[in-house]
Amino acid sequence: MKNPLVFCLLCAALPAALAAQALPDKAKLKAEVAAMEDAFCAMGQKDGLLAAFQHFAAPDVAFIDTDPRQWRGAAAVKLRMGENRPGVSLTWSAYFTDVSDDGTLGYNYGLYEIRSPGPDGRERVGGGWFLTIWKRQPDGSWKYVMDNGAPDRPAPPATPAAPAPAAKPAGN
């Protein structure tokens, strides 16, 4: 090359061009993770919670509410979920989704609702927030590696209403 300045500029620009080319499309990946969460919930409704939790689990999945030092993978899913229970329905929907800059991890959180028959036969309804952490697998699919839910706090006890101010007599 006859012009060393042009050569230096090209060499300086090449790493930036390669880095820009290597960045994943975060909007596309967020949509993928959100779609996985929706499919996860839909399968739970259609095929049962145990089947859905098994299908979408990564091989190294762990849960905070089962000892993750001891229980990982399929054994952790089975321990946490147990067998499907008749009349139990769990639904959820992501409120927020994001992915890592390198596109290898994603997460979403949102609200869940659980309905189940109570001991008296009447339906009990509960809910709260969930967090799911997703990991891109070698085949390009997304599987969850951690899932957790936190029930809503109970409503605070009602406070007695303050008495209404006494009416003033007319003409004063």
Side-chain angles (χ1 to χ4, degrees):
M1 182 166 272
K2 293 185 180 188
N3 189 339
L5 180 60
V6 171
F7 178 72
C8 288
L9 289 173
L10 286 173
C11 287
L14 185 60
L18 291 174
Q21 193 175 35
L23 291 176
D25 181 349
K26 284 187 71 169
K28 178 180 178 266
L29 294 175
K30 285 181 187 182
E32 287 178 12
V33 171
M36 283 289 96
E37 195 71 61
D38 291 343
F40 186 13
C41 180
M43 184 177 192
Q45 294 301 298
K46 180 179 174 264
D47 299 330
L49 293 173
L50 180 58
F53 273 80
Q54 289 173 326
H55 176 78
F56 286 95
D60 57 344
V61 67
F63 302 95
I64 298 298
D65 55 352
T66 61
D67 186 344
R69 296 167 300 181
Q70 181 178 1
W71 303 99
R72 297 184 74 84
V77 174
K78 185 71 171 167
L79 179 66
R80 181 174 194 232
M81 298 309 300
E83 295 298 325
N84 287 323
R85 295 175 308 191
V88 174
S89 169
L90 176 64
T91 56
W92 63 93
S93 180
Y95 173 78
F96 181 82
T97 300
D98 202 0
V99 294
S100 62
D101 288 342
D102 67 356
T104 59
L105 289 174
Y107 71 95
N108 31 34
Y109 62 84
L111 293 169
Y112 73 87
E113 179 182 83
I114 186 162
R115 295 176 174 269
S116 61
D120 59 358
R122 294 178 21 193
E123 183 177 61
R124 295 183 310 179
V125 179
W129 290 89
F130 73 88
L131 168 67
T132 308
I133 301 173
W134 298 87
K135 183 177 178 184
R136 176 103 67 195
Q137 301 299 296
D139 67 0
S141 67
W142 291 96
K143 299 285 185 175
Y144 75 92
V145 292
M146 178 82 48
D147 181 81
N148 197 34
D152 281 334
R153 293 184 176 134
T159 55
K168 291 185 178 182
N172 289 349

